[in-house]
mmCIF file with all atom_site columns, all heavy atoms in Angstrom:
data_model
loop_
_atom_site.group_PDB
_atom_site.id
_atom_site.type_symbol
_atom_site.label_atom_id
_atom_site.label_alt_id
_atom_site.label_comp_id
_atom_site.label_asym_id
_atom_site.label_entity_id
_atom_site.label_seq_id
_atom_site.pdbx_PDB_ins_code
_atom_site.Cartn_x
_atom_site.Cartn_y
_atom_site.Cartn_z
_atom_site.occupancy
_atom_site.B_iso_or_equiv
_atom_site.pdbx_formal_charge
_atom_site.auth_seq_id
_atom_site.auth_comp_id
_atom_site.auth_asym_id
_atom_site.auth_atom_id
_atom_site.pdbx_PDB_model_num
ATOM 1  N N   . HIS A 1 365 ? -2.628  8.497   -3.739  1.00 0.00 ? 386 HIS A N   1
ATOM 2  C CA  . HIS A 1 365 ? -1.763  7.325   -3.559  1.00 0.00 ? 386 HIS A CA  1
ATOM 3  C C   . HIS A 1 365 ? -2.212  6.163   -4.449  1.00 0.00 ? 386 HIS A C   1
ATOM 4  O O   . HIS A 1 365 ? -3.400  5.983   -4.684  1.00 0.00 ? 386 HIS A O   1
ATOM 5  C CB  . HIS A 1 365 ? -1.767  6.872   -2.099  1.00 0.00 ? 386 HIS A CB  1
ATOM 6  C CG  . HIS A 1 365 ? -1.256  7.916   -1.169  1.00 0.00 ? 386 HIS A CG  1
ATOM 7  N ND1 . HIS A 1 365 ? -0.052  8.564   -1.388  1.00 0.00 ? 386 HIS A ND1 1
ATOM 8  C CD2 . HIS A 1 365 ? -1.768  8.446   -0.026  1.00 0.00 ? 386 HIS A CD2 1
ATOM 9  C CE1 . HIS A 1 365 ? 0.137   9.441   -0.414  1.00 0.00 ? 386 HIS A CE1 1
ATOM 10 N NE2 . HIS A 1 365 ? -0.889  9.395   0.421   1.00 0.00 ? 386 HIS A NE2 1
ATOM 11 N N   . PRO A 1 366 ? -1.246  5.352   -4.904  1.00 0.00 ? 387 PRO A N   1
ATOM 12 C CA  . PRO A 1 366 ? -1.610  4.218   -5.760  1.00 0.00 ? 387 PRO A CA  1
ATOM 13 C C   . PRO A 1 366 ? -2.193  3.052   -4.959  1.00 0.00 ? 387 PRO A C   1
ATOM 14 O O   . PRO A 1 366 ? -1.889  2.888   -3.777  1.00 0.00 ? 387 PRO A O   1
ATOM 15 C CB  . PRO A 1 366 ? -0.279  3.816   -6.396  1.00 0.00 ? 387 PRO A CB  1
ATOM 16 C CG  . PRO A 1 366 ? 0.761   4.283   -5.438  1.00 0.00 ? 387 PRO A CG  1
ATOM 17 C CD  . PRO A 1 366 ? 0.210   5.479   -4.725  1.00 0.00 ? 387 PRO A CD  1
ATOM 18 N N   . ALA A 1 367 ? -3.031  2.248   -5.651  1.00 0.00 ? 388 ALA A N   1
ATOM 19 C CA  . ALA A 1 367 ? -3.695  1.132   -4.966  1.00 0.00 ? 388 ALA A CA  1
ATOM 20 C C   . ALA A 1 367 ? -3.708  -0.109  -5.849  1.00 0.00 ? 388 ALA A C   1
ATOM 21 O O   . ALA A 1 367 ? -3.934  -0.038  -7.055  1.00 0.00 ? 388 ALA A O   1
ATOM 22 C CB  . ALA A 1 367 ? -5.132  1.525   -4.626  1.00 0.00 ? 388 ALA A CB  1
ATOM 23 N N   . LEU A 1 368 ? -3.472  -1.226  -5.191  1.00 0.00 ? 389 LEU A N   1
ATOM 24 C CA  . LEU A 1 368 ? -3.556  -2.537  -5.841  1.00 0.00 ? 389 LEU A CA  1
ATOM 25 C C   . LEU A 1 368 ? -4.628  -3.335  -5.105  1.00 0.00 ? 389 LEU A C   1
ATOM 26 O O   . LEU A 1 368 ? -4.619  -3.376  -3.875  1.00 0.00 ? 389 LEU A O   1
ATOM 27 C CB  . LEU A 1 368 ? -2.191  -3.239  -5.715  1.00 0.00 ? 389 LEU A CB  1
ATOM 28 C CG  . LEU A 1 368 ? -2.153  -4.764  -5.871  1.00 0.00 ? 389 LEU A CG  1
ATOM 29 C CD1 . LEU A 1 368 ? -2.459  -5.173  -7.306  1.00 0.00 ? 389 LEU A CD1 1
ATOM 30 C CD2 . LEU A 1 368 ? -0.762  -5.306  -5.491  1.00 0.00 ? 389 LEU A CD2 1
ATOM 31 N N   . THR A 1 369 ? -5.539  -3.954  -5.851  1.00 0.00 ? 390 THR A N   1
ATOM 32 C CA  . THR A 1 369 ? -6.549  -4.799  -5.216  1.00 0.00 ? 390 THR A CA  1
ATOM 33 C C   . THR A 1 369 ? -6.259  -6.264  -5.524  1.00 0.00 ? 390 THR A C   1
ATOM 34 O O   . THR A 1 369 ? -6.041  -6.622  -6.684  1.00 0.00 ? 390 THR A O   1
ATOM 35 C CB  . THR A 1 369 ? -7.960  -4.429  -5.719  1.00 0.00 ? 390 THR A CB  1
ATOM 36 O OG1 . THR A 1 369 ? -8.282  -3.139  -5.217  1.00 0.00 ? 390 THR A OG1 1
ATOM 37 C CG2 . THR A 1 369 ? -9.008  -5.413  -5.211  1.00 0.00 ? 390 THR A CG2 1
ATOM 38 N N   . ILE A 1 370 ? -6.244  -7.082  -4.477  1.00 0.00 ? 391 ILE A N   1
ATOM 39 C CA  . ILE A 1 370 ? -6.118  -8.530  -4.655  1.00 0.00 ? 391 ILE A CA  1
ATOM 40 C C   . ILE A 1 370 ? -7.497  -9.099  -4.368  1.00 0.00 ? 391 ILE A C   1
ATOM 41 O O   . ILE A 1 370 ? -7.983  -9.022  -3.244  1.00 0.00 ? 391 ILE A O   1
ATOM 42 C CB  . ILE A 1 370 ? -5.066  -9.112  -3.689  1.00 0.00 ? 391 ILE A CB  1
ATOM 43 C CG1 . ILE A 1 370 ? -3.703  -8.472  -3.972  1.00 0.00 ? 391 ILE A CG1 1
ATOM 44 C CG2 . ILE A 1 370 ? -4.993  -10.629 -3.817  1.00 0.00 ? 391 ILE A CG2 1
ATOM 45 C CD1 . ILE A 1 370 ? -2.575  -8.942  -3.055  1.00 0.00 ? 391 ILE A CD1 1
ATOM 46 N N   . THR A 1 371 ? -8.146  -9.624  -5.394  1.00 0.00 ? 392 THR A N   1
ATOM 47 C CA  . THR A 1 371 ? -9.564  -10.000 -5.238  1.00 0.00 ? 392 THR A CA  1
ATOM 48 C C   . THR A 1 371 ? -9.925  -11.229 -6.055  1.00 0.00 ? 392 THR A C   1
ATOM 49 O O   . THR A 1 371 ? -9.265  -11.552 -7.041  1.00 0.00 ? 392 THR A O   1
ATOM 50 C CB  . THR A 1 371 ? -10.479 -8.825  -5.648  1.00 0.00 ? 392 THR A CB  1
ATOM 51 O OG1 . THR A 1 371 ? -11.842 -9.201  -5.434  1.00 0.00 ? 392 THR A OG1 1
ATOM 52 C CG2 . THR A 1 371 ? -10.298 -8.438  -7.106  1.00 0.00 ? 392 THR A CG2 1
ATOM 53 N N   . ASN A 1 372 ? -11.014 -11.844 -5.622  1.00 0.00 ? 393 ASN A N   1
ATOM 54 C CA  . ASN A 1 372 ? -11.538 -12.993 -6.358  1.00 0.00 ? 393 ASN A CA  1
ATOM 55 C C   . ASN A 1 372 ? -12.493 -12.548 -7.461  1.00 0.00 ? 393 ASN A C   1
ATOM 56 O O   . ASN A 1 372 ? -12.959 -13.365 -8.232  1.00 0.00 ? 393 ASN A O   1
ATOM 57 C CB  . ASN A 1 372 ? -12.273 -13.914 -5.369  1.00 0.00 ? 393 ASN A CB  1
ATOM 58 C CG  . ASN A 1 372 ? -12.351 -15.330 -5.859  1.00 0.00 ? 393 ASN A CG  1
ATOM 59 O OD1 . ASN A 1 372 ? -11.533 -15.758 -6.687  1.00 0.00 ? 393 ASN A OD1 1
ATOM 60 N ND2 . ASN A 1 372 ? -13.313 -16.077 -5.376  1.00 0.00 ? 393 ASN A ND2 1
ATOM 61 N N   . VAL A 1 373 ? -12.832 -11.257 -7.470  1.00 0.00 ? 394 VAL A N   1
ATOM 62 C CA  . VAL A 1 373 ? -13.827 -10.773 -8.429  1.00 0.00 ? 394 VAL A CA  1
ATOM 63 C C   . VAL A 1 373 ? -13.278 -9.575  -9.217  1.00 0.00 ? 394 VAL A C   1
ATOM 64 O O   . VAL A 1 373 ? -13.554 -8.423  -8.891  1.00 0.00 ? 394 VAL A O   1
ATOM 65 C CB  . VAL A 1 373 ? -15.149 -10.386 -7.713  1.00 0.00 ? 394 VAL A CB  1
ATOM 66 C CG1 . VAL A 1 373 ? -16.262 -10.114 -8.731  1.00 0.00 ? 394 VAL A CG1 1
ATOM 67 C CG2 . VAL A 1 373 ? -15.605 -11.481 -6.747  1.00 0.00 ? 394 VAL A CG2 1
ATOM 68 N N   . PRO A 1 374 ? -12.472 -9.872  -10.252 1.00 0.00 ? 395 PRO A N   1
ATOM 69 C CA  . PRO A 1 374 ? -12.023 -8.767  -11.099 1.00 0.00 ? 395 PRO A CA  1
ATOM 70 C C   . PRO A 1 374 ? -13.269 -8.132  -11.709 1.00 0.00 ? 395 PRO A C   1
ATOM 71 O O   . PRO A 1 374 ? -14.196 -8.840  -12.088 1.00 0.00 ? 395 PRO A O   1
ATOM 72 C CB  . PRO A 1 374 ? -11.181 -9.463  -12.189 1.00 0.00 ? 395 PRO A CB  1
ATOM 73 C CG  . PRO A 1 374 ? -10.897 -10.828 -11.667 1.00 0.00 ? 395 PRO A CG  1
ATOM 74 C CD  . PRO A 1 374 ? -12.014 -11.181 -10.720 1.00 0.00 ? 395 PRO A CD  1
ATOM 75 N N   . GLY A 1 375 ? -13.314 -6.833  -11.768 1.00 0.00 ? 396 GLY A N   1
ATOM 76 C CA  . GLY A 1 375 ? -14.548 -6.183  -12.230 1.00 0.00 ? 396 GLY A CA  1
ATOM 77 C C   . GLY A 1 375 ? -15.382 -5.705  -11.057 1.00 0.00 ? 396 GLY A C   1
ATOM 78 O O   . GLY A 1 375 ? -16.337 -4.958  -11.237 1.00 0.00 ? 396 GLY A O   1
ATOM 79 N N   . SER A 1 376 ? -15.024 -6.127  -9.846  1.00 0.00 ? 397 SER A N   1
ATOM 80 C CA  . SER A 1 376 ? -15.723 -5.640  -8.660  1.00 0.00 ? 397 SER A CA  1
ATOM 81 C C   . SER A 1 376 ? -15.337 -4.175  -8.413  1.00 0.00 ? 397 SER A C   1
ATOM 82 O O   . SER A 1 376 ? -14.397 -3.655  -9.029  1.00 0.00 ? 397 SER A O   1
ATOM 83 C CB  . SER A 1 376 ? -15.349 -6.487  -7.452  1.00 0.00 ? 397 SER A CB  1
ATOM 84 O OG  . SER A 1 376 ? -13.949 -6.435  -7.275  1.00 0.00 ? 397 SER A OG  1
ATOM 85 N N   . THR A 1 377 ? -16.030 -3.556  -7.486  1.00 0.00 ? 398 THR A N   1
ATOM 86 C CA  . THR A 1 377 ? -15.794 -2.128  -7.241  1.00 0.00 ? 398 THR A CA  1
ATOM 87 C C   . THR A 1 377 ? -14.336 -1.865  -6.851  1.00 0.00 ? 398 THR A C   1
ATOM 88 O O   . THR A 1 377 ? -13.692 -0.953  -7.395  1.00 0.00 ? 398 THR A O   1
ATOM 89 C CB  . THR A 1 377 ? -16.744 -1.641  -6.126  1.00 0.00 ? 398 THR A CB  1
ATOM 90 O OG1 . THR A 1 377 ? -18.066 -2.000  -6.503  1.00 0.00 ? 398 THR A OG1 1
ATOM 91 C CG2 . THR A 1 377 ? -16.652 -0.151  -5.925  1.00 0.00 ? 398 THR A CG2 1
#
Side-chain angles (χ1 to χ4, degrees):
H386 299 309
L389 159 69
T390 291
I391 299 179
T392 182
N393 204 23
V394 190
S397 58
T398 307

